[in-house]
DNA sequence: ATAATATCGGTATTACAATATCGAAAGGTG
DNA sequence: CACCTTTCGATATTGTAATACCGATATTAT
């Protein structure tokens, strides 16, 4: 499998969703050109992306086999292998993500949540228990947790992150608006809803 | 105000959060170099970003005035002016975002939700009512809604989007994994949690 | 007062992703 | 059966954002 850019990686779920839709409509072949048209991408870019992940080539005037492409994408993204995650911080965003099941189809299993609030500890959201944050290391190490989703206030994020560095965690999906220090072997991915809003606002102002 | 890139725009909330933290600790001046160190960015990049949005220059060996920078960032991002939004599709993700109040401080007011499900219509989440999706145009046009947040299944997204094109909506924040067709004067911003997951998964696999 | 140092802003340069161009191959059309 | 169209993959080229470099300036230290 070839190495592809982050941006290309981010496009894969769009291809997957698009192809599943085509498959459900009984369409067996699609060309890179038509994908590009429908997803508003450049056709060369689509071909490059697909070539990086597909095991078979497309053929001129026919395109790619839809079922094979789906299989290739799913295997490349690795949706069929269970990834175990925990949510740290069950405030409004953490609660929100614990209630959200939309990533199930990507093999993500949110096992439980953690908090410091005594009133929340022991309760559960969407059938997922909330534990005392003191149990972080114990739970992560014993329950084979791969991913920690950080949905907590900025000022405690680094402290919790430091505790995580003592565990077997492999990746952190950070929603706090800070850049965290992590060990080299832990992958850090930053998400920031405010970043999106900032971009949207700029476009609102243009019209005013 | 100079034009800055999308990526730079996405960094602004990090600067803002960082500076507010410094301010709360009683720090009055901060250098671009130290910001770069702490946020793990390149110092030249930070200077370029700050120069684009700041009204005052920083001075050598002193840095920038924290309070002024915060003011400049807030005014550039436009957090003090209320932006009114609706959530379309109150499934698990829509419900999640309606429960989330973290964007209040960015001036985002989520006014209400919309759904087709008779059981949900008339109820409310986090004190925000859920209306019948048939009332979309009426509510958006009469209540000065700027932003529509789309949290609905991929196969209905374009249909709803087409209805939105008949309203006064100014921007769409799309969480459905499809690329929508919109009018030129409506700004479309795509968000895809699966894109982030895809990138994270790739790094998990490396270590295995 | 003078030297050392940290920081600034502006101007290259580099790196990387997106796009344009091209010849070849497969299928359809007159 | 020859020709046109669509699509392919490979190889430039372009465009944009990140980074490195450089001279200038302000503060601190000797």
């Amino acid at each position: 499998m070839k190495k592809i850019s982050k941006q290309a990686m981010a496009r894969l779920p769009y291809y997957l969703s698009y192809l599943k839709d085509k498959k459900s409509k009984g369409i067996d072949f699609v060309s890179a050109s038509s994908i590009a048209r429908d997803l508003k991408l450049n056709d060369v870019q689509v071909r490059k992306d697909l070539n990086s992940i597909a095991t078979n080539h497309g053929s001129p005037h026919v395109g790619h086999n839809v079922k094979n492409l789906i299989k290739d994408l799913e295997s490349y993204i690795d949706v069929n292998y269970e990834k175990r995650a925990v949510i740290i911080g069950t405030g409004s965003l953490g609660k929100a993500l614990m209630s959200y099941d939309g990533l199930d189809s990507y093999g993500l299993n949110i096992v439980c949540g953690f908090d410091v609030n005594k009133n929340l500890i022991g309760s559960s959201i969407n059938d997922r228990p909330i534990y005392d944050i003191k149990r972080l290391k114990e739970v992560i190490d014993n329950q084979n947790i791969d991913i920690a989703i950080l949905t907590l206030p900025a000022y405690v994020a680094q402290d919790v992150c430091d505790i995580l560095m003592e565990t077997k965690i492999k990746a952190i999906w950070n929603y706090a608006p800070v850049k965290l220090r992590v060990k080299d072997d832990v992958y850090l991915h930053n998400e920031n809803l405010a970043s999106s809003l900032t971009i949207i606002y700029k476009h609102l102002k243009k019209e005013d």
Side-chain angles (χ1 to χ4, degrees), chain A residues 104-200:
Chain A
D104 288 8
S105 65
Y106 279 82
L108 186 73
N109 181 6
I110 296 174
V111 175
C112 63
F114 289 93
D115 211 294
V116 286
N117 186 333
K118 294 265 186 290
N119 297 322
L120 295 170
I121 295 166
S123 70
S124 66
I125 296 170
N126 197 17
D127 294 327
R128 285 144 179 165
I130 297 175
Y131 299 133
D132 191 324
I133 200 158
K134 288 173 186 159
R135 296 183 56 196
L136 208 49
K137 181 169 168 54
E138 168 212 333
V139 175
I140 288 176
D141 287 349
N142 294 336
Q143 299 203 26
N144 298 309
I145 307 296
D146 306 304
I147 304 171
I149 304 174
L150 262 54
T151 49
L152 29 72
Y155 63 92
V156 290
Q158 185 62 56
D159 291 341
V160 171
C161 181
D162 290 342
I163 299 172
L164 283 173
M165 292 306 101
E166 309 290 317
T167 70
K168 292 182 188 161
I169 207 76
K170 291 177 188 158
I172 293 177
W173 194 359
N174 175 40
Y175 281 79
V178 289
K179 297 290 175 88
L180 301 167
R181 288 183 306 275
V182 294
K183 291 190 300 179
D184 286 347
D185 57 345
V186 173
Y187 178 69
L188 173 65
H189 186 88
N190 291 303
E191 196 89 34
N192 196 339
L193 297 182
S195 290
S196 295
L197 260 196
T198 303
I199 296 168
I200 293 172

Side-chain angles (χ1 to χ4, degrees), chain A residues 196-207:
Chain A
S196 295
L197 260 196
T198 303
I199 296 168
I200 293 172
Y201 285 179
K202 215 67 233 151
H203 288 269
L204 287 185
K205 268 188 127 176
K206 266 189 197 156
E207 301 287 274

